Amino acid sequence: MTEGKIDRAASIFGNVISAKDHRKAERSKSKFIRRFGDDSGADHPAVVRKNPYIGDALGVRDIRVGQEEARKVPVKQREEFDREKGVIVGNIRMGFGHYRISMAMASAASALGYVPYWMDLNSFPETTCTKVISAQNDLYSKGSRMSQKSKLFNRLFWEPMNYEGFRKLSYNASDQKNAELMAPVFQNVPKDIPLIGTHVWPAQAAIHGGMKYVVNAIPDNWPMALHLAEGSVHTIQTHQAYQGYRILNGMRGDEVLKPMPADSLVYTGHYVDHELVSNIEEDCRKRLLRKKNGKPMRFLLTIGGAGAQKEIFAGIIRYLLPMVREGRAALYVNVGDYRNVWDQLTSEIRGLKDISVEHFNSWENTENFAAGALDGDVEGIHAFWHENIFQAVYCTNLLMRSCDVLITKPSELSFYPVPKLFIHRIGGHEKWGAIHSAEIGDGTLECQDIPHVIQMLELFMNDPVLLEDMCHNIVRNKEIGIYDGAYEAVKLAMRLKEDRR
């Protein structure tokens, strides 16, 4: 610990961490120092450039940190920080979820007239910060894939870790210690620009790094100490999660803990892109019109950043393939940046490649298809793959508006304003996303296996009530502000700056 710095691993919202757990947190940090070093004494320049992939669409600027990254940005392409209108979206790539939430924040910031800065702490390879995050990301992705291949591993280790392990205050203490190694990336970032962290590590690192106005956008609907970044203002997407986080429910077994202060936790609603929220009524109207007119029902299958659940998607495609040939259904399949997943699907499912149109690695083609599908007819199967992470993630957002049903695990997409069919989760914490969606009426229950997924597909295909009900609920949810979370998080970040000047 640097002299004068708060040891945020010693006490969390007034709840003292045991000496044993504090030593464990110290050992975790020491292990990473031995492996990757401690670059707190290094000079990490921070330069700004227009994001080459979503800069035009969302007004996003990149923050590049480190000597090597700075050299890659020509002087003529560099921009100055806007210290009046700027808001930093701090994120990491760990799966697609946190990138997607970041895009929602950037979209809302741009729509509100602010300048969104994209700061991915997992993209500065010379820094200890990125090395620490990448190591943990690789471990998480490996565990996620193993959980899909081994029911025993999932039941005995992965589900308990994601459900109860990440829930404990002691886990947060270790993360806080590790985040001290991430703080140096903020060395040359203006401290008075508000920051919204869409993963807890950027929020924790920003606090350690001296950033003054930090919002920690919590993604999950299951309260876990993993997501705590004391010193920031935490935002929540649901009222159920608000209550659980406020009292730190179950974060040290049955012990009654000191609650979070009222000004540390704010309900905002769902984090959703401006482009999706502003078009809810029109997009739902078109879905109902297509159903009424007997058009092919459009299903969007999106495979997440871990590349898992291919077997479930293969079962869905096999079931829907005859209906696609009959003109009763149409499929969008976004495999993100996992080209190998599509290759495996086409090799395993006879006839899939023959009736599919591949929109591969051409962003212009993807944008044109998505725009044309809003009002035009769509038939057959359309596969999407982009090797660039921004395009791989944002492709789903573009396709979401023209699809009728999104088929997804109950992750961050649980909160999006589109009819949803939920397949089996990855990690126990995700099930609460499906529960919330079913309760507000914009998604199904979580389908635990392929037979139950097919049962739900049959309902969507043959009974208009399910789709009609979800569309009507989505419109009503918008009216009461349920999907306004990204706007509210941005407003909160800027308000912190105004109130604390």
Side-chain angles (χ1 to χ4, degrees), residues 54 57-58 103 273 275 363 390-398:
I54 57 174
L58 302 179
M103 289 176 178
D273 309 64
E275 293 75 22
W363 190 239
F390 291 101
Q391 296 169 349
V393 175
Y394 202 63
C395 176
T396 292
N397 293 49
L398 291 181

Side-chain angles (χ1 to χ4, degrees), residues 94-379:
M94 183 169 277
F96 285 177
H98 302 286
Y99 252 45
R100 192 178 311 285
I101 296 171
S102 295
M103 289 176 178
M105 298 298 180
S107 171
S110 182
L112 292 170
Y114 298 112
V115 179
Y117 292 105
W118 190 275
M119 189 172 180
D120 177 0
L121 273 62
N122 199 17
S123 66
F124 314 135
E126 70 184 272
T127 67
T128 298
C129 172
T130 291
K131 293 171 184 175
V132 170
I133 291 173
S134 293
Q136 294 179 92
N137 187 18
D138 291 344
L139 192 62
Y140 187 86
S141 295
K142 181 179 179 181
S144 182
R145 290 190 296 271
M146 287 177 62
S147 74
Q148 300 303 296
K149 296 177 181 178
S150 169
K151 291 183 178 179
L152 187 65
F153 175 82
N154 187 59
R155 179 169 59 85
L156 296 181
F157 178 77
W158 196 246
E159 282 264 348
M161 173 58 72
N162 277 271
Y163 201 60
E164 291 294 343
F166 293 159
R167 192 182 184 190
K168 300 182 184 303
L169 280 184
S170 56
Y171 191 94
N172 183 261
S174 291
D175 264 4
Q176 283 283 14
K177 273 295 166 191
N178 296 336
E180 293 174 6
L181 297 173
M182 304 174 193
V185 299
F186 290 97
Q187 180 185 63
N188 290 301
V189 176
K191 303 299 185 288
D192 58 348
I193 297 181
L195 178 141
I196 303 172
T198 59
H199 186 282
V200 71
W201 294 340
Q204 291 172 344
I207 295 293
H208 288 298
M211 301 298 288
K212 295 179 179 179
Y213 317 112
V214 180
V215 170
N216 176 28
I218 294 177
D220 291 320
N221 197 30
W222 171 244
M224 296 186 289
L226 161 71
H227 292 304
L228 300 175
E230 188 172 1
S232 69
V233 178
H234 303 65
T235 61
I236 295 292
Q237 298 189 85
T238 75
H239 292 290
Q240 182 273 142
Y242 178 92
Q243 294 186 37
Y245 274 102
R246 185 69 195 279
I247 65 172
L248 305 179
N249 189 43
M251 294 186 187
R252 194 143 66 191
D254 295 331
E255 182 178 344
V256 176
L257 298 172
K258 294 180 180 179
M260 294 178 67
D263 59 0
S264 290
L265 189 66
V266 177
Y267 166 80
T268 58
H270 300 185
Y271 315 133
V272 183
D273 309 64
H274 168 73
E275 293 75 22
L276 294 169
V277 177
S278 61
N279 288 290
I280 281 176
E281 293 89 349
E282 181 65 9
D283 293 344
C284 284
R285 184 188 68 81
K286 290 176 180 177
R287 290 182 183 110
L288 297 178
L289 190 62
R290 285 193 292 268
K291 187 69 174 176
K292 179 181 178 181
N293 293 338
K295 298 288 186 179
M297 194 163 197
R298 305 171 180 183
F299 295 94
L300 167 57
L301 284 65
T302 177
I303 296 178
Q309 297 183 304
K310 177 181 66 68
E311 290 75 14
I312 298 177
F313 283 106
I316 294 169
I317 293 170
R318 286 192 181 96
Y319 171 76
L320 288 174
L321 208 53
M323 300 179 203
V324 173
R325 291 194 176 103
E326 295 167 4
R328 297 177 56 212
L331 293 183
Y332 305 158
V333 183
N334 180 22
V335 295
D337 56 353
Y338 288 85
R339 169 66 186 265
N340 62 302
V341 171
W342 178 250
D343 292 339
Q344 291 165 9
L345 287 171
T346 54
S347 67
E348 294 172 10
I349 302 174
R350 181 179 299 177
L352 173 59
K353 193 174 182 66
D354 297 338
I355 62 169
S356 297
V357 178
E358 295 177 346
H359 306 265
F360 283 4
N361 229 25
S362 172
W363 190 239
E364 182 180 3
N365 178 284
T366 296
E367 287 185 309
N368 289 339
F369 174 85
L374 290 173
D375 295 303
D377 291 334
V378 175
E379 297 179 344

